[in-house]
């Protein structure tokens, strides 16, 4: 093998560069290799790690290491150049030999030995090629063969010294190459060591009854082939909790002593206990493992006997319900510990003898419609009389593995519920004696007889299930008195219901009984005829209450207009819209024949209806107190007769005999009056209610009004203490003021509160006082006019003009519509003259030759003449700022 060092660092590395080897550069393209070997090749640099190629080139693999130089820009998908690597064979370097036998490696014969583990492998030594061949250089009978690179041998056991059983095997690894490449060989020597063997053991299963019988009273040797087979004799016994193993070479144990210790302390219900004794053989070389074998003894609790309680269970076959056979068993109690066996998995019931299984459910075969339980539930009701014998079986598995299913009766080892166990099953039989009874018939009710029959045979009234009723029974009433089978009807004015019981009893104490309920009915009675007169405005009546005599309640009514009643009452209620309306005519009450009495009976109730006067509907109206009065007759419907009188229901004292109500004493309220017309009996008087609502509004509280003339106040500026009101120009005016007039001195207005129905209060006089400039209000405040002291027409909306209207301060155009304003400069020249029709002064002249010119900044003087009554002219100055 040629040593290749590509990077010149720390010895050979087996790397070559394809660009250097082929005289190409990166500009010529990119080298590619078969994807199987891509991990050994860096296409970006062209570096190839020959040590990563695991097979030498042979005839069969001569095309594996094939490279293509690709350049899509010049050749598209065709290679620019190709190259093939011929990799010479390399058989590896064996590890240095050591020991007296000059071996390269050591292995264990149990798992075989990978021969490649005998080769050196480091940063300067590559692994051998994998496509070589191994040959064995020897003839040992312990040689088993080579599987791939794994050496298989079987070193025989030699008891005693030397403890290490081993043998050296020499093998040669040969790697072949193509023509021109010489094959390489490497020989290794491997020492194969035998794996120690601690033997084989199967658990020994022991039932408690064998221990109690003395089968295991003597000591036993654990190395006996019955318990441990094929072990190396150089092993030891490990410590264990029973204390039977005294030292590592002690192999003697006493199972009876172990059992006695197990049940000490009254531990009788131990179920299943396993005791393990471990035999251990240490390895003979680091290449093999220690071996241990567990010798196990499994002790099983035996079943204790159980039996049926004495005497045998007896039951009559007419008693409904079920019985649990399990409840008939009695289980063993030992040293105060109960040995009861209840399980739905490890028990089973079966029928031993009897006419049927009485519906018994069994564990196997399983039936999803009749799931098994250990209760052994059977149904004796209606069963054939006789003796039935059942058997309950318990599998000993109930103690050792209660969660698994085990049928104690199953003997087929291939069956699902078969269980192998060293202990025996336990069984016990249960005897059930079922007795018959004398049939007393079935419970019977709803029997109806007629009083005319006189007497009856009671047994003939009972229903049956097809069997014949025994004649040996006895009749009793609810008080326990004995009654004859021939029952004579007692006299009674009403229907009578009787309850009797018929009972039978056999020599075995089987009792049967049947209850009989029957009614002796009276002949039908519809009562005596009757009549009634009703007013049409109250057609409420119950017809049945009108009948004379003692009528039966089983009848129904039929009457005019197709009326029929749902019951015997014949109820009419004018306030219930779900009931029919009573009409005049004859109503027939028919009582059908009672059960057992076929003849019917009937009676008649005649109804007469009187009509009351139609008076009309209740009335209600609203009036303003200022209306003065109202005649209640004017409020009635046009169809209401005027033959009645009015009552002062609320005792107002304001109602006259002719129906007129005076409002003078009435306040803001609703007043009720009743209009009455007399009717023919049995109709009560006709009446209706008339309600009038009086609206009496309080007078607004508005004091005399004072305003400064500069406010230019209007009517809506007067503060009013009510929300809804009207203003009038006079006390008698009928048309309210709807505009908002300007207020003048010495005017008088009138105000009245109003509501939604346009009722008004009394009117209040409100005088108006307008103060001229210089006059004072009643509270001492002065009515005065103070113009602004500066004008700055710069467009910022503040003092842009000489304002004549400032809200809530003064309103010159409204207050003095004939005013005159003159403005002079500091030289006394007139620069502006204005009135109500002139644009406000904004720093421009509107007189003489300066018309429209912007006036310069400075102080200007004004003279304001109100031209209204006693208001004197006002003069002052302001500063014009630009």
């Amino acid at each position: 093998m040629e040593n290749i060092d590509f990077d010149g660092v720390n010895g050979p590395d087996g790397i070559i560069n394809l660009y250097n080897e082929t005289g190409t550069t990166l500009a010529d393209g990119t080298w590619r290799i078969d994807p199987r070997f891509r991990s050994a090749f860096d296409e970006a640099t062209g570096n190839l790690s020959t040590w990563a190629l695991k097979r030498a080139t042979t005839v069969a693999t001569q095309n594996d290491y094939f490279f293509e130089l690709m350049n899509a820009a010049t050749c598209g998908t065709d290679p620019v150049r190709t190259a093939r690597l011929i990799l010479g064979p390399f058989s590896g370097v064996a590890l240095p030999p050591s020991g007296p036998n000059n071996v390269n490696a050591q292995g264990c014969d149990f798992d075989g030995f990978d021969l490649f583990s005998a080769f050196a492998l480091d940063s300067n030594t590559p692994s051998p090629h994998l496509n070589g061949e191994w040959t064995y250089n020897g003839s040992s009978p312990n040689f088993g063969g080579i599987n791939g690179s794994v050496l298989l041998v079987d070193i025989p056991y030699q008891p005693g010294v030397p403890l290490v059983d081993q043998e050296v095997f020499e093998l040669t690894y040969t790697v072949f190459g193509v023509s021109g490449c010489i094959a390489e060989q490497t020989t290794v020597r491997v020492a194969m060591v035998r794996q120690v063997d601690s033997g084989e053991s199967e658990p020994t299963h022991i039932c408690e009854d064998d221990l109690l019988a003395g089968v295991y009273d003597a000591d036993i040797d654990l190395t006996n082939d019955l318990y441990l087979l094929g072990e190396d004799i150089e092993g030891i016994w490990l410590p264990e909790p029973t204390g039977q193993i005294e030292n590592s070479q002690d192999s003697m144990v006493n199972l009876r002593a172990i059992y006695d210790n197990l049940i000490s302390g009254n531990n009788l219900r131990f179920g299943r206990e396993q005791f393990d004794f471990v035999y251990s053989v240490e390895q003979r070389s680091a290449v093999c493992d220690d071996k241990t074998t567990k010798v196990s003894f499994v002790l099983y609790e035996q079943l204790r006997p159980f039996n049926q309680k004495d005497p045998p269970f007896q039951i009559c076959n007419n008693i409904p319900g079920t019985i649990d056979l399990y409840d008939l068993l009695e289980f063993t109690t030992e040293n105060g510990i109960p040995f009861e066996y209840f399980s739905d998995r490890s028990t089973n019931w079966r029928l031993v003898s009897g006419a049927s299984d009485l519906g018994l459910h069994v564990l196997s075969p399983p039936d999803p419609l009749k799931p098994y339980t250990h209760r052994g539930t059977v149904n004796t009701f209606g069963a054939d009389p006789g003796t039935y014998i059942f058997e309950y079986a318990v599998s000993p598995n109930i103690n050792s593995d209660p969660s698994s299913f085990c049928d104690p009766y199953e003997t087929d080892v291939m069956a699902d519920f078969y269980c192998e166990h060293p202990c025996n099953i336990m069984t016990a039989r249960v005897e059930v004696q079922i007795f018959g009874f004398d049939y007393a018939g079935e419970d019977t009710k709803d029997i109806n007889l007629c009083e005319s029959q006189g007497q009856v045979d009671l047994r003939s009234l009972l229903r049956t299930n097809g069997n014949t009723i025994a004649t040996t029974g006895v009749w009793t009433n609810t008080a326990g008195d004995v009654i004859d089978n021939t029952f004579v009807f007692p006299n009674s004015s009403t229907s009578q219901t009787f309850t009797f019981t018929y009972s039978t009893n056999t020599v075995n104490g089987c009792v049967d009984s049947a209850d009989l309920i029957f009614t002796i009915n009276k002949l039908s009675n519809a009562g005596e005829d009757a009549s009634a007169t009703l007013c049409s405005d109250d057609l409420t009546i119950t017809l049945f209450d009108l009948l004379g005599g003692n009528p039966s309640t089983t009848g129904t009514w039929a009457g005019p207009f197709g009326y029929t009643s749902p019951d015997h009452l014949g109820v009419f209620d004018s306030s219930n819209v779900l009931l029919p309306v009573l009409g005049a005519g004859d109503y027939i009450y028919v009582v059908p024949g009672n059960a057992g009495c076929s003849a019917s009976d009937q009676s008649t109730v005649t109804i007469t209806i009187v009509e009351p006067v139609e008076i009309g509907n209740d009335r209600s109206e609203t009036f303003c107190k200022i209306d003065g009065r109202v005649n209640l007759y004017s409020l009635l419907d046009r169809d209401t007769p005027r033959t009645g009188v009015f009552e002062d229901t609320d005792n107002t004292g304001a109602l006259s005999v002719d129906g007129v109500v005076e409002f003078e004493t009435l306040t803001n309220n609703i007043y009720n009056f009743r209009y009455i017309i007399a009717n023919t009996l049995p109709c009560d008087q006709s009446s209706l209610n008339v309600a009038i609502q009086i609206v009496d509004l309080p007078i607004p509280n508005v004091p005399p009004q004072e305003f400064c003339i500069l406010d230019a106040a209007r009517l809506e500026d007067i503060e009013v203490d009510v929300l809804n009101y009207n203003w009038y120009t006079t006390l008698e005016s009928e048309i309210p003021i709807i505009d908002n007039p300007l207020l003048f001195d010495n005017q008088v207005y009138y105000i009245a509160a109003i509501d939604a129905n346009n009722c008004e209060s009394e009117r209040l006089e409100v005088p108006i006082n307008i103060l001229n400039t210089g006059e004072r209000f009643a509270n001492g405040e002065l009515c005065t006019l103070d113009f602004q002291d500066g004008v700055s027409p710069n467009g910022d909306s503040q003092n842009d003009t000489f304002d004549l209207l400032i809200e809530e301060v003064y309103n010159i155009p409204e207050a003095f519509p004939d005013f005159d304003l003159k403005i002079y400069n500091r030289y006394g020249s007139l620069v502006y003259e204005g009135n109500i029709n002139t644009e406000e002064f904004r720093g421009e002249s509107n007189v003489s030759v300066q018309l429209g010119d912007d006036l310069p900044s400075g102080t200007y003087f004004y003279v304001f003449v109100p031209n209204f009554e006693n208001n004197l002219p006002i003069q002052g100055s302001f500063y014009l700022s630009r």
Side-chain angles (χ1 to χ4, degrees), residues 31 83 117 292 391 521 591 700 727 802 848:
W31 285 100
S117 301
T292 60
E391 186 177 72
N521 293 304
V591 178
W727 285 103
F802 190 82
S848 71

Side-chain angles (χ1 to χ4, degrees), residues 39 50 66 107 156 166 216 276 318 324 386 447 466 619 631 789 834 869:
S39 61
T50 60
F66 183 77
Q166 68 175 350
Y216 292 95
D276 298 325
N318 66 333
D324 288 349
I447 300 295
R619 301 289 294 166
N631 189 323
D789 57 4
E869 296 183 354

Side-chain angles (χ1 to χ4, degrees), residues 268-269 301-302 304-305 331-334 337-341:
L268 301 179
R269 298 304 303 268
E301 175 191 337
Q302 69 174 355
R304 267 57 168 185
F331 293 88
T332 298
T333 298
E334 187 175 319
I337 297 176
F339 286 82
E340 185 176 351
Y341 303 113

Side-chain angles (χ1 to χ4, degrees), residues 607-619:
I607 299 296
T608 302
I609 297 177
V610 176
E611 297 292 336
V613 175
E614 290 291 337
I615 195 169
N617 300 318
D618 292 345
R619 301 289 294 166

